[in-house]
Amino acid sequence: MKIPLDELPTPALLIDLAKLERNLADMAGLAAAAGVALRPHFKASKCVEVARRQLGHGATGFTCATMGEVEALLEAGIEDLVWAHQPVGPAKVRFAVRTGVTVSLDSVAAAEPLAAAARAAGVRQPYLLEVDTGMGRAGVAPADAVRTAAQLERLGGLSLRGVLTHEGHLMTYLGDPGGREKAGRRVGETMAGVAADLRAAGHDCAVVSVGSTPGAASAPFVPGVTEARPGTYVFYDGNQVALGTAEESRCALTVLTRVVSVPRGEDLAIVDAGLKAMSSDASVRGSGFGAVLGVPGVAFGKANEEHGYLTGAGGLRVGSLVSVLPNHGCGVVNMWSGAYVVEDGFAVERWPITGRH
Ligand SMILES: Cc1ncc(COP(=O)(O)O)c(C=O)c1O
């Protein structure tokens, strides 16, 4: 395949291969400098071709959020997986026991049916105890880790491998790299402390896993942390640019769209990328569906399913091609069945995107 971008049907999801490769290499270097294993989150690409490249850069395995992501990687023969979610509900329990994948747990309520199914199957389900280090999502409070681990041990059928956190609260340190760095180190210290407490109480705790793109330069560098699970770094996105973790030039994922109507003179241009191309994930910096690249002053403030509204769009004509940087790349890939790979200005391949809802 060697298609000029102007010839692609729009909207089209594009991956810039050179930028992707640089992002993968740099993050692998960062994890190596920290002396930790790199277990990228697959949700950011949902693309086996990207995953294979990450393995080529030394990733030890992957993190998944959904059953579909786990399935996609297992089908591709990639087996060292952490399913960083509580497998609650009969279908997920059966799937976890059948695959033997390492899961996240944070309560007896979530663990009981899984433990019962594992006991019935005569296996011990590996799990990581999820710890909330400040995001306020799932996870036990650090001070409750030893008590919860003891409760889960009494259920039988489970095997504690270590501890896991997602330091998603680092996304709130906009324009504050020093604060973000400090908060990231605090996350690493909290996790190392929880692991030490668990070991002192007689539990195995080989894995001390932190994970985020904004925390990748801080939390994994704390002694005692063994693993980093960044995801978004594969492509970066508008939110990471707003946060200051990446420059726009590092962003490898864009949506190529075309102006299909300029209905009321110069100020409004309608493009063929709407909600179903961009997702509706908000910008951490404000509103809008993404940043229009290379056309200063244009805002992408409104969208219907297959129409986007660009305002301040002087100079755009029917037929103009426009490149949009998504706010949150991970939400966008879930909207697409495939992405064109761009090298030297041409689409050279189309990589399937798998494990979508
Ligand atoms: C459990 C878990 N680990 C790792 C990550 C990766 O973080 P990021 O998207 O900042 O790279 C996420 C992101 O949602 C997550 O939920």
Side-chain angles (χ1 to χ4, degrees):
M1 177 188 293
K2 191 171 182 193
I3 307 176
L5 299 190
D6 188 49
E7 295 284 329
L8 288 177
T10 54
L13 187 65
L14 307 185
I15 295 173
D16 183 305
L17 187 58
K19 291 178 182 179
L20 170 70
E21 278 293 335
R22 184 173 168 207
N23 294 343
L24 300 189
D26 284 2
M27 188 58 79
L30 201 57
V36 299
L38 180 60
R39 180 182 294 284
H41 205 309
F42 184 59
K43 56 108 191 186
S45 75
K46 291 181 180 267
C47 177
V48 169
E49 300 291 341
V50 173
R52 290 199 201 289
R53 283 168 189 264
Q54 288 171 297
L55 291 174
H57 283 282
T60 52
F62 289 90
T63 311
C64 297
T66 67
M67 262 172 62
E69 291 167 9
V70 172
E71 251 167 349
L73 287 171
L74 290 178
E75 272 169 25
I78 299 170
E79 293 184 346
D80 187 347
L81 307 178
V82 166
W83 183 12
H85 232 279
Q86 284 68 16
V88 174
K92 286 183 174 176
V93 165
R94 276 195 303 273
F95 180 75
V97 173
R98 176 166 65 75
T99 56
V101 68
T102 297
V103 299
S104 288
L105 293 173
D106 64 351
S107 72
V108 171
E112 246 170 354
L114 178 68
R119 285 196 313 269
V123 297
R124 274 157 54 89
Q125 187 77 35
Y127 81 96
L128 297 171
L129 183 66
E130 183 166 358
V131 179
D132 179 11
T133 50
M135 187 187 185
R137 195 169 69 178
V140 296
D144 291 337
V146 170
R147 187 168 53 87
T148 307
Q151 288 171 335
L152 298 195
E153 187 170 280
R154 281 196 289 277
L155 295 177
L158 303 173
S159 166
L160 178 65
R161 292 187 55 212
V163 287
L164 166 147
T165 193
H166 168 51
E167 60 277 15
H169 56 296
L170 300 195
M171 286 297 291
T172 60
Y173 287 83
L174 248 74
D176 180 12
R180 189 170 67 240
E181 154 84 24
K182 249 183 161 163
R185 292 197 71 83
R186 255 198 318 273
V187 166
E189 286 157 9
T190 301
M191 293 301 281
V194 168
D197 292 348
L198 285 166
R199 290 182 199 119
H203 297 283
D204 287 336
C205 189
V207 177
V208 182
S209 182
V210 299
S212 74
T213 293
S218 53
F221 284 82
V222 173
V225 173
T226 68
E227 179 176 277
R229 308 182 323 277
T232 305
Y233 78 96
V234 286
F235 301 135
Y236 291 110
D237 57 22
N239 282 346
Q240 297 296 328
V241 174
L243 196 58
T245 50
E247 286 169 11
E248 194 177 279
S249 61
R250 304 297 298 263
C251 295
L253 188 79
T254 51
V255 173
L256 185 71
T257 179
R258 205 181 274 283
V259 177
V260 295
S261 176
V262 183
R264 287 186 288 282
E266 290 264 295
D267 193 50
L268 175 68
I270 303 296
V271 293
D272 58 7
L275 285 173
K276 288 181 173 170
M278 301 306 307
S279 88
S280 51
D281 224 330
S283 161
V284 297
R285 191 171 27 189
S287 59
F289 290 86
V292 178
L293 298 175
V295 197
V298 177
F300 190 168
K302 181 176 162 184
N304 305 139
E305 287 179 54
E306 302 293 0
H307 295 82
Y309 295 63
L310 306 188
T311 49
L316 292 179
R317 303 275 173 265
V318 170
S320 296
L321 271 183
V322 174
S323 184
V324 183
L325 175 64
N327 296 329
H328 186 189
C330 310
V332 172
V333 296
N334 195 53
M335 312 299 279
W336 293 82
S337 58
Y340 289 100
V341 180
V342 178
E343 210 174 5
D344 299 326
F346 291 91
V348 292
E349 273 183 87
R350 190 166 190 269
W351 289 347
I353 294 174
T354 52
R356 301 181 304 129
H357 284 306

